[in-house]
Amino acid sequence: MIIFNIRSRGVSRKIEEREQNFWEKEREANNVRKKSLDSLEYIHIPVDLLPFDTHGNNGILQSAEEELLALKDEKIVNLTGITNTDLKLEYGTANITVLTQYDQNYTAMVVSLQKWGQELYDQGRFEDAAKVLEFSVKTRTDITATYRLLVDLYKTKLGFSESEINRKLEGLLPIAKGLNALSRNQIVKLIEEAIIPLEEVM
């Protein structure tokens, strides 16, 4: 009981310290003046490079295309994993609303890209699916299904040689390892397990 009580007090102190640090940081953040947003990495949807206007009578494809076209003139920024407190510290409290909108635009974009890529895949349009999913990965999406589908395309649907497959997969790894998301380790493991061992390639 004595040991338990000592440990409990230790845990309680750590929790109190974390809470105190959080509120101190939050108070500091709330006093930061508005700063320029010019340094943000804005994402632009490459309408001319993706397979728009090819949905035919497919409602899922049409819906995905329309959702993305609605975002093409909006400001889109991937702020995944960055807290509101850190955003306020970096860009000022007055910018938090607009930054939240930019991030919501990003989330809407990658969800639509995943839906679009999945339906293109299901329709047997593998090259178009790869284009859509590769763009999503370049924006550092943390949607595991996007990486899983792209890995499958590389390995089974696009006619790549084993060395080409590995080159494609190894190209995904730096992006996956740099993700600021809870799904990072799962995505990295997915890609690493898909890489063909060197002796098999040779």
Side-chain angles (χ1 to χ4, degrees):
M1 286 297 295
I2 294 173
I3 294 172
F4 174 78
N5 288 334
I6 292 172
R7 287 179 177 173
S8 295
R9 285 196 294 271
V11 170
S12 297
R13 280 197 298 271
K14 288 180 181 178
I15 292 173
E16 289 174 3
E17 287 175 4
R18 281 199 295 267
E19 288 181 353
Q20 184 178 353
N21 291 338
F22 169 79
W23 289 114
E24 286 178 359
K25 190 175 181 181
E26 185 67 13
R27 280 192 292 273
E28 180 184 350
N30 286 332
N31 291 319
V32 175
R33 293 183 178 181
K34 187 175 182 179
K35 298 180 181 179
S36 171
L37 300 180
D38 291 343
S39 63
L40 289 170
E41 293 183 29
Y42 293 98
I43 296 167
H44 303 283
I45 298 173
V47 176
D48 55 331
L49 299 179
L50 298 178
F52 284 99
D53 297 323
T54 63
H55 56 76
N57 296 320
N58 186 301
I60 297 175
L61 294 179
Q62 182 176 0
S63 172
E65 288 187 28
E66 289 174 351
E67 289 164 5
L68 289 160
L69 289 172
L71 290 167
K72 72 180 180 65
D73 296 322
E74 299 294 327
K75 290 187 176 180
I76 304 170
V77 182
N78 181 358
L79 299 173
T80 303
I82 305 175
T83 67
N84 283 349
T85 301
D86 287 334
L87 287 175
K88 287 188 286 187
L89 281 169
E90 183 69 25
Y91 299 106
T93 302
N95 277 322
I96 193 63
T97 300
V98 70
L99 288 170
T100 299
Q101 184 59 58
Y102 293 174
D103 191 49
Q104 289 174 349
N105 290 342
Y106 176 76
T107 300
M109 182 192 72
V110 293
V111 168
S112 294
L113 287 168
Q114 168 58 27
K115 179 171 73 173
W116 196 13
Q118 181 67 63
E119 185 62 17
L120 288 168
Y121 177 96
D122 292 343
Q123 296 299 316
R125 294 174 55 185
F126 302 128
E127 291 185 4
D128 284 341
K131 288 179 184 177
V132 168
L133 298 169
E134 284 172 342
F135 168 65
S136 190
V137 168
K138 285 179 182 178
T139 72
R140 304 190 309 280
T141 180
D142 64 344
I143 298 178
T144 304
T146 294
Y147 293 87
R148 183 177 294 111
L149 198 56
L150 198 51
V151 166
D152 180 69
L153 283 164
Y154 289 160
K155 294 198 75 172
T156 69
K157 298 296 189 291
L158 295 174
F160 292 146
S161 67
E162 291 182 337
S163 59
E164 288 173 323
I165 291 168
N166 276 3
R167 187 160 57 249
K168 286 284 190 179
L169 294 175
E170 287 164 359
L172 299 179
L173 272 178
I175 296 173
K177 290 179 178 179
L179 294 176
N180 187 20
L182 294 175
S183 57
R184 178 183 59 196
N185 291 343
Q186 181 182 1
I187 292 169
V188 169
K189 182 180 179 182
L190 168 72
I191 297 168
E192 288 179 336
E193 289 181 347
I195 293 175
I196 304 167
L198 184 61
E199 60 271 16
E200 293 183 24
V201 175
M202 296 176 63

